[in-house]
Amino acid sequence: MTPIGWDPGDGGGVADPPRAEPHPDLPDDPWERWREAYPVIWETWRTSGDERVCPICGPLAGVEYRAGEGPTPPLHANCRCTRETTRVEWLLR
């Protein structure tokens, strides 16, 4: 039942929210933006965690680097360290 004095053509007295204009540099379809995203891979330096960790690698334990940047194991003879991928960030171009 329609209330008396209410006109469904006027939107019930509620104004429509303002529409945002699309940014000129971005595509109209929001999913198109993600096609231009690229991953940034982060790696963490891992030591063996025992008493034989050398003074060269010890301070690097747990330090995060972008893939392809920073020191890479082995740093010396008999180095047992590795770099493990810990997270991935997606950036828009």
Side-chain angles (χ1 to χ4, degrees), residues 13-60:
V14 178
D16 289 334
R19 295 184 183 257
E21 293 297 321
H23 193 278
D25 295 336
L26 298 177
D28 294 334
D29 181 13
W31 291 107
E32 285 293 319
R33 293 180 62 199
W34 292 109
R35 290 187 184 149
E36 297 180 8
Y38 64 97
V40 176
I41 300 170
W42 291 89
E43 298 175 335
T44 302
W45 189 278
R46 300 282 183 217
T47 64
S48 58
D50 59 13
E51 67 278 352
R52 297 184 339 182
V53 173
C54 70
I56 297 171
C57 298
L60 297 174

Side-chain angles (χ1 to χ4, degrees), residues 3-4 7 9-10 19 25-26 34 38-40 42 45-46 48 50 62-63 65 74-76 78 80 82 84 87 93:
I4 298 174
D7 181 12
D10 70 357
R19 295 184 183 257
D25 295 336
L26 298 177
W34 292 109
Y38 64 97
V40 176
W42 291 89
W45 189 278
R46 300 282 183 217
S48 58
D50 59 13
V63 177
Y65 298 98
L75 290 183
H76 53 82
N78 299 323
R80 299 174 294 147
T82 60
E84 296 178 355
R87 63 188 169 104
R93 295 179 198 257

